[in-house]
Amino acid sequence: MSRNDGRGPRDLRPLRYEVGYLQWAEGSVLLEMGNTRVLCSASYESRVPPWLQGSGRGWVSAEYSMLPRATAERTPREATRGRLSGRTQEIQRLIGRSLRGVARLDRLPECTIWIDCDVLQADGGTRTAAITGGYIALARAIATLRERDIVKGQPLSDAVAAVSAGVVEGERLLDLSYEEDARAEVDFNVVMTGSGRLIEVQGTAEGEPFTRQDLDEMVTLAEDGIRRLVEIQRQAIEA
């Protein structure tokens, strides 16, 4: 099948970034993957959750939100409803787990690094873009905190990035747009470290069940994309 944007099956969407997008955050990046745009910031707070007080360890946590007109029709802010949706809570936890998967919390002082991911425009893959951009913001914040002599050494053990993959009209595709995701027979989100270790695999059959071979091929397809994302992350962190 031909993709609407002219990409090949194994191609990522065009990726652009602007680091240092926010003046006051210790680390920030505006990340664009195709028409999906996510603003990620990392902020230092000199305290930890109550259950970590006195432990000598730090913490990394995440919050995720979507602007009302990030989508084709306006979505009311969740603050006006007084509670977070189940989807938002799930994505926040996923981002936090993914970043903590490469963070040596015992090498942080008793502090919290907050990763805020705000979707400015959504065209599929917002959670994967938030993880990929969140790592860039976190790594740049760590560099800032090391310069300030707040963090000693390097608490990040590896990079982490995420991408979607799926089966659309019988063909395996990498990095689905919203239009492709809506038609996918199988839909995956894969979170992986730079060294190729898996943190999370989310896979769903929207129609016919998929096989173990399908699972392996989807992860392999995602791994190829994540290798390329990790190289882009490296360039953004060093910029």
Side-chain angles (χ1 to χ4, degrees):
M1 61 169 284
S2 61
R3 306 181 77 169
N4 286 348
D5 53 11
R7 287 184 291 150
R10 305 179 69 87
D11 290 342
L12 293 168
R13 288 177 289 181
L15 193 148
R16 298 169 295 276
Y17 61 83
E18 183 178 344
V19 293
Y21 193 80
L22 296 177
Q23 180 176 357
W24 306 116
E26 281 70 26
S28 65
V29 62
L30 175 65
L31 184 71
E32 302 183 13
M33 295 192 69
N35 290 323
T36 288
R37 299 188 181 104
V38 183
L39 176 58
C40 301
S41 64
S43 303
Y44 167 79
E45 185 177 69
S46 60
R47 59 182 178 179
V48 291
W51 48 272
L52 271 178
Q53 290 176 4
S55 68
R57 297 165 61 90
W59 190 244
V60 176
S61 193
E63 292 189 1
Y64 168 97
S65 67
M66 190 176 292
L67 292 186
R69 280 315 302 266
T71 51
E73 295 182 0
R74 184 182 188 275
T75 303
R77 297 180 192 273
E78 293 184 340
T80 64
R81 298 199 296 264
R83 61 182 177 83
L84 298 179
S85 69
R87 177 182 181 275
T88 295
Q89 293 182 59
E90 176 211 346
I91 294 175
Q92 289 186 166
R93 291 168 183 155
L94 172 63
I95 298 167
R97 283 196 305 273
S98 299
L99 297 176
R100 288 192 298 272
V102 296
R104 291 287 305 273
L105 301 177
D106 59 337
R107 294 185 181 178
L108 288 173
E110 284 197 20
C111 69
T112 299
I113 301 178
W114 287 98
I115 310 298
D116 291 295
C117 301
D118 293 286
V119 179
L120 310 185
Q121 185 166 285
D123 185 33
T126 61
R127 73 185 66 195
T128 55
I131 292 167
T132 301
Y135 175 77
I136 295 171
L138 174 61
R140 289 183 64 88
I142 292 294
T144 298
L145 295 173
R146 291 176 70 186
E147 289 174 3
R148 295 177 185 172
D149 208 29
I150 294 172
V151 171
K152 315 290 185 183
Q154 176 53 268
L156 296 177
S157 61
D158 205 342
V160 62
V163 75
S164 65
V167 178
V168 182
E169 296 180 9
E171 188 165 6
R172 293 176 178 83
L173 303 178
L174 180 68
D175 193 13
L176 305 182
S177 67
Y178 176 78
E179 185 272 335
E180 291 169 336
D181 183 73
R183 297 188 293 118
E185 296 108 59
V186 177
D187 181 20
F188 272 83
N189 293 304
V190 178
V191 185
M192 186 179 286
T193 68
S195 58
R197 301 179 70 188
L198 289 165
I199 291 180
E200 189 140 348
V201 178
Q202 301 175 336
T204 304
E206 302 291 349
E208 289 293 318
F210 56 86
T211 66
R212 173 62 180 273
Q213 181 180 351
D214 292 328
L215 169 61
D216 292 343
E217 291 180 358
M218 287 290 101
V219 173
T220 299
L221 179 61
E223 181 178 18
D224 180 58
I226 286 171
R227 281 201 196 97
R228 284 175 271 160
L229 289 174
V230 168
E231 176 57 26
I232 292 168
Q233 287 176 320
R234 184 190 64 78
Q235 295 169 13
I237 292 164
E238 294 175 357

